[in-house]
Amino acid sequence: MANQTAVTEYILLGLQEHHKLEMVLFVLCLGIYSVNVLGNSLLIVLNMLDPRLHSPMYFFLSNLSLMDICGTSSFVPLMVVNFLKTQRTISFPGCALQMYLTLALGTTECLLLAVMAYDRYVAICQPLRYPEIMRRQTCVQMVVLSWGMGFANSLLQSFLTWNVSFCGHNIINHFFCEILAVLKLACGDISLNALLIMVATVILTLAPLLLIFLSYIFILATILRVPSAAGRCKAFSTCSAHIIVVVVFYGTISFMYFKPKAKDPDLDKIIALFYGVVTPSLNPIIYSLRNAEVKAAAIALLWGDLLSRKMSHLPCCSSTLSCMAG
């Protein structure tokens, strides 16, 4: 393609005019990214080790955690390194990959949150049919479909973006290669790109939000019919963490894209940074604080009980333990 030969690297402006603020952001982003990777990795490990977490809800949560790790890792490491540099460049292949991954994983998260809402709907509104409806094969298919649709959409958007004429422009006014920031470099017609982005937003972002909203309407109606207060509290507690994650995720997106345009473009960049870095790190904290099973599994892992129980189920380890006991 012409763009690949004309431009070999891109310059990421970030907040070059506010170097002291970038030093603060370096410390904050590095710390938050570390919390994100460690927290989400812990959730994945707990789901693998603890049999109490071998259920559809935690299977979906593990995928959400993996998604958050991959999503932030696609741009945060390079971004924090760039905070320390005066010349911030990224190669064309690196920029293309970064744009593809951030768009794909962001879209996939919207779809997965809708799948998780459906799981809660079945668990509360149709509890007797839950094992039949949410079989492992069905759960795997829903997750694969979510990942597949997110990555297929990103592939299409990326292909159309990089086929637009950029006339040699290579200065991106952002921290990373975000699709809208890249399209601002175009010197040709981007009406088709804008149309497809709008259609994809409606189908892959707003439609899942509508499904989540409808699921919780039915869930709320079912909870209100539960006669005992303790029963209502228990039913609601299984949904509370997911509700908070959805509100934080979609609330940040709404504020970022639907608020009045800021007079200072740097403010928009910082808001986008909050969405990309802070939001994924909140998921393990929310699920840990709001979920008794996750807290119990974390405590068991901390004291070594969980790992020893897992080891005792392995044939090689169980024989060794029995010999030691003898």
Side-chain angles (χ1 to χ4, degrees):
M1 286 183 285
N3 290 324
Q4 294 183 13
T5 55
V7 177
T8 58
E9 65 178 17
Y10 291 89
I11 298 170
L12 300 167
L13 289 184
L15 296 171
Q16 280 188 323
E17 296 180 2
H18 306 279
H19 186 64
K20 289 183 179 179
L21 178 57
E22 284 194 328
M23 291 301 98
V24 174
L25 289 175
F26 168 79
V27 175
L28 287 176
C29 290
L30 187 60
I32 294 169
Y33 174 69
S34 301
V35 170
N36 168 33
V37 173
L38 291 173
N40 282 299
S41 298
L42 178 62
L43 282 178
I44 294 171
V45 170
L46 289 176
N47 181 67
M48 293 170 61
L49 295 179
D50 197 327
R52 291 171 296 182
L53 304 184
H54 292 174
S55 67
M57 181 174 77
Y58 296 110
F59 172 66
F60 297 138
L61 178 58
S62 293
N63 275 270
L64 183 66
S65 295
L66 178 62
M67 211 171 292
D68 287 335
I69 293 171
C70 294
T72 52
S73 298
S74 65
F75 73 95
V76 172
L78 178 63
M79 182 183 70
V80 294
V81 169
N82 282 341
F83 283 147
L84 304 176
K85 295 164 64 178
T86 53
Q87 186 72 9
R88 298 97 184 270
T89 59
I90 183 171
S91 66
F92 173 81
C95 185
L97 180 62
Q98 194 176 74
M99 188 184 79
Y100 173 71
L101 289 175
T102 52
L103 179 60
L105 292 162
T107 305
T108 304
E109 186 156 349
C110 294
L111 298 169
L112 189 62
L113 287 173
V115 169
M116 294 173 76
Y118 176 72
D119 171 69
R120 293 299 82 207
Y121 159 76
V122 177
I124 293 173
C125 300
Q126 302 184 51
L128 297 179
R129 297 188 61 206
Y130 185 78
E132 175 193 349
I133 296 173
M134 302 302 294
R135 292 174 301 171
R136 181 162 186 82
Q137 183 181 359
T138 305
C139 295
V140 171
Q141 287 172 347
M142 288 193 289
V143 165
V144 170
L145 185 63
S146 298
W147 284 85
M149 289 179 68
F151 277 76
N153 169 66
S154 184
L155 184 63
L156 175 62
Q157 301 285 358
S158 299
F159 176 78
L160 292 173
T161 297
W162 296 117
N163 274 281
V164 171
S165 176
F166 291 105
C167 302
H169 300 158
N170 71 331
I171 301 176
I172 298 174
N173 190 18
H174 213 302
F175 294 109
F176 58 96
C177 293
E178 192 257 349
I179 186 169
L180 296 180
V182 172
L183 281 173
K184 286 180 181 178
L185 304 181
C187 58
D189 182 24
I190 60 168
S191 56
L192 177 61
N193 301 76
L195 175 63
L196 285 175
I197 288 174
M198 185 178 69
V199 171
T201 301
V202 171
I203 295 173
L204 301 175
T205 305
L206 299 182
L209 179 61
L210 178 62
L211 290 174
I212 293 169
F213 182 70
L214 291 173
S215 295
Y216 278 107
I217 287 177
F218 287 113
I219 288 170
L220 184 61
T222 302
I223 290 175
L224 292 176
R225 289 199 296 269
V226 175
S228 67
R232 288 195 296 270
C233 184
K234 183 179 179 182
F236 182 75
S237 67
T238 64
C239 304
S240 58
H242 180 256
I243 292 172
I244 295 170
V245 168
V246 169
V247 169
V248 170
F249 181 78
Y250 275 100
T252 310
I253 290 179
S254 301
F255 183 74
M256 187 166 61
Y257 288 109
F258 299 118
K259 70 174 182 60
K261 189 131 182 96
K263 293 180 180 178
D264 184 2
D266 290 340
L267 180 61
D268 288 328
K269 292 186 223 172
I270 294 173
I271 294 169
L273 196 63
F274 178 88
Y275 162 72
V277 179
V278 178
T279 305
S281 67
L282 294 177
N283 292 347
I285 297 171
I286 292 167
Y287 272 95
S288 298
L289 293 176
R290 301 294 305 178
N291 194 293
E293 290 176 321
V294 173
K295 282 192 283 188
I299 292 169
L301 181 65
L302 183 65
W303 290 104
D305 297 340
L306 189 59
L307 199 56
S308 61
R309 285 204 306 267
K310 190 70 176 178
M311 294 278 286
S312 66
H313 285 87
L314 297 175
C316 60
C317 298
S318 58
S319 59
T320 304
L321 289 172
S322 61
C323 290
M324 289 174 65

